[in-house]
Amino acid sequence: MPLPLLPGNSLNRNLGKEKFHKSQHFEYSKGIPLMVGAKKPGIGGEPLLGQTAKPQYSLFPKEQGSGPSWLAFDKQVLCFDAYFQEPVTQSREETYRVRKCKIYYYLENDTIQVVEPIIKNSGMQHGTLICRHRIPLPAPNDDQFYNIQHFNINQEIEFYSRTYMITDCDPFTRNFLRKMGVRINSSATAPADPYTTLRQELEDSMKPRRPYERQDTLKQFLEHDHNVLRFYCYWNDTESMFGDPRELILHYFLADDTIEIREVLYPNSGRDTAPKFLNRSKIPKNAPTPTHQPGEVTGRTVLNVIGPVGQGSRYILDRLNTGAVEEEFYKDSDLTIGGVINVWGRSVLICDCDNFTKEYYRSKYGIEDFTPVQYKVPLPPKPAREMPPYTGFGSEEDSLCSCQGLIPKAPQKDFRKLMEKDRQGLESNVLRFVAKILTNNAVNNERTFIISFYLGDDTIAMFEPTQRNTGVLGGKFLERSRVKKPGQELYKSEMSECYMAQDLYVGARLCISNQLFQLVDADEYAFNYMEQHAEEFPRANIGIILSKLKSIHAEKQKEIKHFLANSDPGNTGLVPYESFRSLLADTGCQLSEHEIITLGRTYSLREQPEPNVGFMLAVAQDHLKKKLFDNFPDLLRAFTHEDRDRTGHLSAKEARTICKAFRLPLADDLLRALLQKFANESGNIDYNAFLSGINWRENPSPPLLPDDAIKFDVDWSGEAVGPAVTAVNYSLLLDDVFGSAGNSESS
């Protein structure tokens, strides 16, 4: 202990003290001065002389481990088995009663609950004896509460002057106490209650030596409740007067082996609609049975009755059931397809059953043959409805719908096809072809038409691009509609045949508005779509085209090989497309122009033309200028906001999303092509260069000529914009058509 006179020490205890408050000890209650702070500390919270601090919590503080006690010990309860003896003063049969209970200790807040389990026919109120709360210790320590250290096995504990003897606990409680360092005592057994033992002896002595015969049907009910077998039956009642065949439905309830029969009544059958043909009941096999006297058919056979009738009488049962009347009823094993059952004297033929019934018999009895019995004459085929011929007013579909009912309805379209083949993003599902008029007029021979076929509803639209110095005013030539094929009768009952997608290919001839057109070219999307769906378009099916080439006779094959060898003096394996086309057109293998193009595209070398970035920017600025779009500062701020790392680059998807959000008035293909031009090796877009290129106010491009703007748009020009076929690899073609031998001969 340091000396008080040394430097740094002082006798003043207030040095370093921060709290000097005084607790409130006196208070007025209803005008009377009272002392309420006898247990409160002194100045600064220090205990007074002879005063000991009482812990606010029994064992666990507010914060322990990873969280508060109410969270750390949530839903963790200690369970103890206990009993107490209750004196009985007003009974001669017992002087005390042993009552068993359970003590629950909640670790989260040190609360205790005592519950007594329910005992049958005890005559006492059971349940919660002590509600859940903190129980104080017995006096004189009633200012403290029970905690976990007061509990152990094989010891007594007192709650509100009642002593409980703890006998055992559950495994969780035992493990928890062991972890807390509590030395657990050995388990004890609760003494037997004398009165309960006496009552049990009386109940055991009251059991009869010959118990009643029990018929347990509960198991069958629980296993097969709501399980019903359904059979389709036939009853031939033609032998009776005014009788006719009757169709019935038999329901067999597996829960209690009862049968219900309903009759199938068709409209205008002339019979009253009865709810049931036979109520739900058991059907005897030998019906109709003779009428029995009352009491003749019983569940048990009584030999003798001793004593007065009613209460207090005794009787003896016949275990041999002498004279019992046994009746045999239909079971599920008796119901089979093709079998005949006796329904109170009526022979009912079982013809068929439903799927659940088939599965039941297949799993239980192993039956596999469920061939139905034909009992009805098949109905004659319904005559086809003859439609009147087309009148010429409106469309054929609309006129046909007006003849199918009293209330006319609009013609139904193929909604599934419309949803599958309608425009979806960049997939237009529109086939575009270039057409020429077949005529002797020199002016009309120079006219070019764009035919668009819409796959969603099989409609055709035609447009004629404007050409200078032709004297013909271009524009819309045919409104979008379905086009009928020529050579059909106008006023007929059948629907007219219209042009379908398979009828359009390069080289095909179409008759539209009494004018003959020939398809001379198609756009890249049409070629790709037809090649991808080759099973729908035989003209673009490379397998069918190669099979036609294989059918050429041997002399013509040698001629083709010799021609291809002469066309390739350098032995490069390539031949110009025009020479290849003229060769196949003169072979006589009946290949159409579209088939030749498909063959050339399959075995071709294509030149990918490099698009002119300046020309594309000029077209984009021309579109933006016409739409008066100049919101470039806000567009730059949006790009900068999305660029979190300030690298000056964004992905193509993000850049396209921002452009669409600002409704940039540019076509999708033009926007995608421009974004690709400003992409780096990793595919990210330099948005500063992109915005600077399309900004027509700060960086205007040279003015765009009208002809150039028209030629750029694929919808308005008849020129192919995709990669052009320049040369054909005939060596691969000969190898696929004539085999490796053909390739060696040509070399």
Side-chain angles (χ1 to χ4, degrees), residues 615 619 622-623 626 704-713:
F615 179 69
V619 174
D622 183 68
H623 283 291
K626 290 180 180 179
L704 191 66
L705 298 178
D707 292 345
D708 297 337
I710 293 177
K711 290 180 180 178
F712 182 81
D713 196 346

Side-chain angles (χ1 to χ4, degrees), residues 716-742:
W716 297 90
S717 67
E719 300 178 1
V721 297
V725 178
T726 58
V728 178
N729 191 342
Y730 71 90
S731 60
L732 294 178
L733 176 62
L734 294 178
D735 192 14
D736 292 343
V737 177
F738 307 117
S740 59

